[in-house]
Amino acid sequence: MRKIGLIGGMSWASTELYYRHLNKGLQMRVGTGCSAPILMESLNYCDLSRLSTPEQWDHAKEVLIASARRLEAAGATALMIAANSMHKVADDVAAAISIPLLHIVDETGEKMRADGVKAAAVVGTRNVMTEPWFRQRLVRHGLTLAPYDASRAEEIDRIIYDELMQGKVTEDSRRTMRTFITDIAKQDIQALVLACTELVMLVDPDANLLPVYDTARIHVAAGVDWILGDAP
């Protein structure tokens, strides 16, 4: 098996999901007596949360590059960043190391292209839903994306930052997300992209009439493929 590097802590709740499902995914493939070989660094999210200025993003880029280099030096053969939002600087991180970086947006886009999805809507934090780096990268895979609806952004951000990133799951927020998804599904789309690694704590991708592409689940599957040597 190949050893994979995981940059986490953004949030710890998301990192916990990654660690658990990398191991569960590997066990489903090779047997319950096995564990995934993972090198993980959990960063302090106090320094990386709700970034808005170029200076803050420059700092985040340097923090992630330093982390990636440490994981490579420790023996990681590929790298994963366990957060959608931090993939804004993923290309800079990838350029600073000599091992592959498994990009969460590309893995999701390739999966959707393979499934024949042409039109989708994105649900995540405000910066992921609104900033061009995420949307343009998905569009490269042949997708048309529904317009961003600003009316939901504040409540979705509250649920993600104030609850899910603290490991809290409430029935009120589950109902709110169910209502949002029902409304989104009325658009002329074929699928929904969960573009926040914590949203799967509230939204069951297998329990919706509209196909739901959970970026975290897809990213983890790519990680398992890498560990087992099924990815180039």
Side-chain angles (χ1 to χ4, degrees):
M1 295 185 196
R2 297 189 287 195
K3 188 172 291 186
I4 200 159
L6 183 66
I7 301 179
M10 308 167 292
S11 65
W12 67 261
S14 167
T15 307
E16 180 186 48
L17 287 169
Y18 266 75
Y19 183 79
R20 184 189 326 144
H21 288 291
L22 281 167
N23 278 288
K24 290 179 70 174
L26 183 128
Q27 288 182 341
M28 287 178 63
R29 299 272 294 276
V30 298
T32 56
C34 299
S35 299
I38 301 169
L39 286 168
M40 183 172 71
E41 182 163 75
S42 186
L43 301 177
N44 181 3
Y45 199 40
C46 287
D47 299 329
L48 300 167
S49 178
R50 298 180 185 255
L51 307 180
S52 58
T53 69
E55 292 77 17
Q56 289 172 332
W57 277 109
D58 283 342
H59 171 68
K61 177 178 67 178
E62 295 308 317
V63 170
L64 264 70
I65 286 174
S67 178
R69 286 173 170 164
R70 286 191 292 269
L71 290 169
E72 180 179 15
T77 62
L79 185 72
M80 301 175 72
I81 302 171
N84 276 278
S85 60
M86 301 313 293
H87 278 76
K88 180 174 180 175
V89 297
D91 286 346
D92 296 297
V93 175
I97 55 178
S98 60
I99 58 175
L101 184 148
L102 308 183
H103 199 294
I104 196 168
V105 183
D106 289 338
E107 298 295 343
T108 301
E110 288 169 12
K111 169 66 174 167
M112 297 176 78
R113 185 203 294 269
D115 290 348
V117 176
K118 299 293 186 183
V122 175
V123 176
T125 58
R126 187 191 304 266
N127 67 321
V128 168
M129 288 193 291
T130 59
E131 293 189 10
W133 68 268
F134 187 95
R135 298 177 70 87
Q136 289 175 0
R137 195 144 190 149
L138 265 185
V139 168
R140 289 181 204 168
H141 295 274
L143 286 163
T144 298
L145 298 179
Y148 154 70
D149 188 337
S151 67
R152 304 185 186 100
E154 183 175 349
E155 180 62 8
I156 293 175
D157 267 7
R158 186 197 66 77
I159 290 170
I160 292 170
Y161 286 107
D162 297 344
E163 295 180 6
L164 300 183
M165 287 187 178
Q166 314 306 318
K168 301 174 184 176
V169 178
T170 70
E171 284 306 311
D172 283 347
S173 293
R174 195 186 302 277
R175 284 192 292 270
T176 296
M177 288 305 304
R178 189 179 298 123
T179 298
F180 285 165
I181 290 173
T182 299
D183 291 342
I184 291 168
K186 295 174 183 176
Q187 301 177 85
D188 187 19
I189 57 174
Q190 298 169 276
L192 179 73
V193 179
L194 287 187
C196 168
T197 50
E198 289 89 0
L199 275 176
V200 72
M201 296 165 66
L202 276 184
V203 179
D204 183 352
D206 301 318
N208 287 273
L209 294 177
L210 189 73
V212 174
Y213 287 80
D214 172 24
T215 55
R217 177 189 289 192
I218 295 166
H219 203 202
V220 165
V224 173
D225 284 346
W226 177 267
I227 290 169
L228 294 176
D230 295 339

